[in-house]
Amino acid sequence: MAAAAFERRVLRRAAEHHYLRVRLELPDGGARPNAAQFKQLVVTALRELHGEVGAALPVDVLTYEEKTLSAILRVISSGLVKLWSALTLLGFYQNRRCAFRVLQVKPCGAGWLPPDVSSGSKLGRLPKPTAFS
Amino acid sequence: MAGFADLNLPQGLDKKSLQSLLDTAAHLGYSAVALNHVIDFKEKKQEIAKPVSPSELFPSLPIVQGTSKRIKVLTRLTLIVSDPSHCNLLRSTSANIRLYDIIAVFPKTEKLFHIACTTLDVDLVCINVTEKLPFYFRRPPVNMAIDRGIYFELLYTPAIKDSTMRRYTISNAISLMQICKGKNIVISSAAERPLELRGPYDVANLGLLFGLSEGEAKAAVSTNCRAAMLHGETRKSACGVVYTVKKPRKVEEEETAVPACKKAKTQA
């Protein structure tokens, strides 16, 4: 069983997208963003650091869990550094301190996403963002 | 591989918030942090106190995530110098200064930056990230500092707090990179709250934004910090530090030192 838990994937060329597993840390109490506000927060962070070009970066929130404030983001590979640095330098949510913890970054979404979403990317179709985007 | 380190946690906090900072740093994967004691010579009568010993302050240190070791806590002294006379203190063999693990200077003028890079016995030179640079970096002192094994420190917490400071942080960092070409850079936090700390890989990614290459950015939070720590350690000894590590002996390797075919021949 343990052997079957691993799957080897070979990428023949640079991956089109990168996937980030992130968690938003907020001080206890106070408003928690819903999926739409979360996406808004990501775009705000991008606009703050990289301006309109950053805000125009194709970023999708694939899953978002309001209870744990964790999300899976997908971004085109050329914009990974921009997105990551924007998340790092985000310090406030609604005038209260917050921090994005980037838990994992990888060039393939398999393993995190439900099979229908991740297998979609294997066929060359783009997986449909499940949460608001 | 050298572990990740954050060489700047302010010491002036109360014990409880310092403990939560340490817990967060360990959780994020930093294997060493330095408690920073800042002395500004502008204010009169600044005595250099003895460093607080971390073992007294924290009886049990948190365990670094992903390892089984406890986080290492060092002491660091930062001198803010705005006049050449302040440097005399560093030249004199003051007993209390020797007790700190790392010594950093924050030069306010170009002349002092030159002195700090070329003559002072320090480990880190802090780069101002909260305002526009009062001077331009010049190549000779920076090259000299790189040769002497002195590292330049950039802070990222001001960039999280305020968008104006973020602009200065990035612009000052880029102008430094033009001169030092990404060598001898250390990126550290100066975070006062756990929510201002960022993980080591996030900080390395931030280094890309400052104009470092991927390898240099990762070195800025790992190997360069270790080198600065060792540079500080050499100050306490005559000329250098050597570590010996006991290596587990491989038994089977010795047995097969003589190839099997030769063994058979000698036996026969």
Side-chain angles (χ1 to χ4, degrees):
Chain A
M1 187 59 215
F6 294 98
E7 187 189 350
R8 184 184 160 126
R9 282 190 179 234
V10 181
L11 296 176
R12 301 269 156 104
R13 61 196 140 168
E16 238 173 278
H17 290 94
H18 269 74
Y19 295 76
L20 292 96
R21 205 151 59 87
V22 298
R23 199 181 69 236
L24 182 64
E25 268 189 23
L26 290 171
D28 298 329
R32 284 162 166 263
N34 60 24
Q37 288 165 328
F38 184 84
K39 166 83 183 186
Q40 185 64 37
L41 183 66
V42 172
V43 173
T44 316
L46 275 166
R47 178 175 286 128
E48 255 179 56
L49 189 64
H50 298 289
E52 290 299 325
V53 179
L57 207 67
V59 181
D60 300 315
V61 180
L62 295 184
T63 65
Y64 172 65
E65 223 180 295
E66 200 173 326
K67 208 165 70 187
T68 54
L69 292 173
S70 52
I72 295 172
L73 307 179
R74 184 184 65 188
V75 64
I76 49 166
S77 297
S78 59
L80 174 70
V81 172
K82 275 186 186 168
L83 175 66
W84 196 349
S85 54
L87 294 181
T88 307
L89 287 181
L90 184 76
F92 291 93
Y93 171 65
Q94 292 184 347
N95 291 324
R96 288 182 313 138
R97 280 175 196 287
C98 71
F100 262 109
R101 304 285 181 221
V102 179
L103 306 174
Q104 212 175 359
V105 179
K106 56 182 197 172
C108 154
W112 297 345
L113 300 170
D116 56 316
V117 180
S118 61
S119 67
S121 65
K122 220 162 46 176
L123 296 170
R125 268 187 292 118
L126 287 180
K128 219 173 173 178
T130 49
F132 181 92
S133 68
Chain B
M1 193 201 89
F4 295 112
D6 186 349
L7 296 185
N8 195 340
L9 292 187
Q11 202 189 59
L13 304 166
D14 56 294
K15 199 175 160 185
K16 201 180 151 203
S17 48
L18 207 51
Q19 181 75 47
S20 69
L21 261 182
L22 271 186
D23 287 341
T24 315
H27 183 73
L28 288 172
Y30 288 105
S31 51
V33 292
L35 298 179
N36 190 13
H37 182 63
V38 184
I39 287 187
D40 193 347
F41 282 110
K42 261 192 198 153
E43 293 153 31
K44 289 270 158 29
K45 287 251 175 181
Q46 281 277 11
E47 282 290 307
I48 296 177
K50 278 190 181 174
V52 285
S53 81
S55 54
E56 269 176 38
L57 210 56
F58 312 107
S60 71
L61 293 168
I63 289 175
V64 182
Q65 198 195 27
T67 63
S68 55
K69 289 178 189 158
R70 294 190 181 278
I71 195 168
K72 203 168 146 192
V73 181
L74 304 165
T75 53
R76 163 183 159 168
L77 178 73
T78 303
L79 302 171
I80 301 178
V81 291
S82 45
D83 190 87
S85 64
H86 298 152
C87 302
N88 294 337
L89 196 86
L90 272 172
R91 294 203 185 91
S92 66
T93 49
S94 161
N96 279 350
I97 282 191
R98 304 263 145 189
L99 295 174
Y100 284 91
D101 292 318
I102 298 168
I103 294 178
V105 284
F106 193 139
K108 287 285 187 187
T109 64
E110 179 163 18
K111 199 176 166 207
L112 284 163
F113 180 77
H114 194 277
I115 293 173
C117 286
T118 51
T119 54
L120 287 185
D121 184 17
V122 293
D123 313 310
L124 293 173
V125 174
C126 304
I127 306 294
N128 195 345
V129 293
T130 52
E131 54 195 52
K132 198 168 165 21
L133 273 182
F135 53 88
Y136 286 109
F137 296 114
R138 291 194 315 118
R139 223 168 268 268
V142 171
N143 286 344
M144 185 99 173
I146 292 172
D147 286 343
R148 294 175 67 218
I150 293 175
Y151 287 79
F152 298 101
E153 187 196 42
L154 292 165
L155 303 179
Y156 65 81
T157 296
I160 294 174
K161 282 182 182 163
D162 187 279
S163 79
T164 328
M165 287 187 191
R166 179 181 301 179
R167 211 160 58 224
Y168 290 134
T169 305
I170 297 174
S171 87
N172 293 0
I174 289 175
S175 63
L176 175 67
M177 294 317 157
Q178 277 197 323
I179 305 300
C180 76
K181 305 246 195 274
K183 280 184 214 150
N184 286 37
I185 300 286
V186 164
I187 307 178
S188 48
S189 70
E192 287 164 356
R193 293 176 193 82
L195 281 182
E196 287 166 359
L197 267 176
R198 293 294 184 264
Y201 289 101
D202 299 3
V203 179
N205 182 70
L206 211 57
L208 297 179
L209 208 68
F210 294 161
L212 296 167
S213 74
E214 272 182 43
E216 291 160 350
K218 199 176 168 211
V221 278
S222 56
T223 45
N224 287 0
C225 293
R226 183 181 136 85
M229 272 151 37
L230 291 176
H231 189 266
E233 213 161 316
T234 56
R235 199 178 315 106
K236 293 179 183 168
S237 64
C239 61
V241 207
V242 174
Y243 280 111
T244 56
V245 182
K246 203 167 183 183
K247 211 176 161 187
R249 274 177 63 182
K250 281 185 185 161
V251 185
E252 66 268 39
E253 214 170 80
E254 278 178 14
E255 280 174 357
T256 55
V258 180
C261 57
K262 282 194 181 171
K263 251 189 195 169
K265 270 184 189 172
T266 47
Q267 273 167 10

